[in-house]
């Protein structure tokens, strides 16, 4: 594996560790709260981070990604906790999925990072480019959950 790919996966792990560390300081009960001025809660943000990584990989590869059924209905762009059902994964389940995801992505796509695909609407045409984008996106959601925590 190229050095830049190792750095990319280290960044993914590092950002994910930050998200999980903050999440470990919030109870499942508090993870359901939506403070004034926010549209979503901790649990929604965790599910959205998980979903986003796979949606963008799927968008560039055009291959079915490892997305559990109904995740897009619960955690996709424009959804909210109002879309949750009794089947929606719990806070603890989402944390476990997030914990396992970086290794799963490395296993599935680590040797395909530079494979060329037709570009997405954002111009990305490799999995490597997608991961750069999703790590940035995860950092934005990390800030959101930190802001939600401050308002609790």
């Amino acid at each position: 594996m190229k050095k830049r790919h190792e750095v990319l996966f280290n960044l993914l792990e590092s950002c994910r560790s930050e998200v999980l560390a903050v999440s470990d300081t919030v109870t499942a009960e508090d993870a359901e709260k939506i403070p004034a001025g926010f549209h979503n809660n901790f649990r929604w943000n965790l599910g959205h981070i998980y979903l986003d990584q796979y949606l963008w990989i799927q968008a560039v590869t055009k291959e079915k990604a490892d997305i559990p059924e109904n995740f897009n209905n619960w955690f996709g762009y424009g959804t909210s906790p109002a879309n949750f059902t009794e089947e929606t994964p719990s806070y603890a389940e989402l944390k476990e999925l997030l914990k396992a995801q970086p290794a799963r992505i490395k296993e599935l796509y680590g040797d395909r990072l530079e494979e060329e695909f037709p570009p997405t609407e954002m111009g990305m045409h490799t999995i490597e480019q997608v991961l750069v984008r999703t790590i940035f996106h995860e950092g934005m959601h990390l800030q959101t959950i930190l802001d939600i925590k401050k308002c609790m």
Side-chain angles (χ1 to χ4, degrees), residues 2 4-5 56-63 109 111-120 123-130:
K2 293 182 177 179
R4 76 172 192 265
H5 296 159
W56 278 105
I57 290 170
Q58 186 172 278
V60 77
T61 66
K62 307 296 187 248
E63 300 166 1
Y109 304 107
D111 61 346
R112 299 179 64 195
L113 295 177
E114 294 182 35
E115 188 175 332
E116 296 275 338
F117 298 94
T120 66
M124 296 178 290
H125 55 89
T126 67
I127 296 169
E128 178 179 28
Q129 292 167 344
V130 163

Side-chain angles (χ1 to χ4, degrees), residues 30-49:
D30 284 343
E32 301 302 318
K33 295 177 181 173
I34 303 173
F38 290 87
H39 300 289
N40 293 302
N41 58 23
F42 262 75
R43 184 161 64 127
W44 183 89
N45 276 277
L46 296 189
H48 183 72
I49 290 167

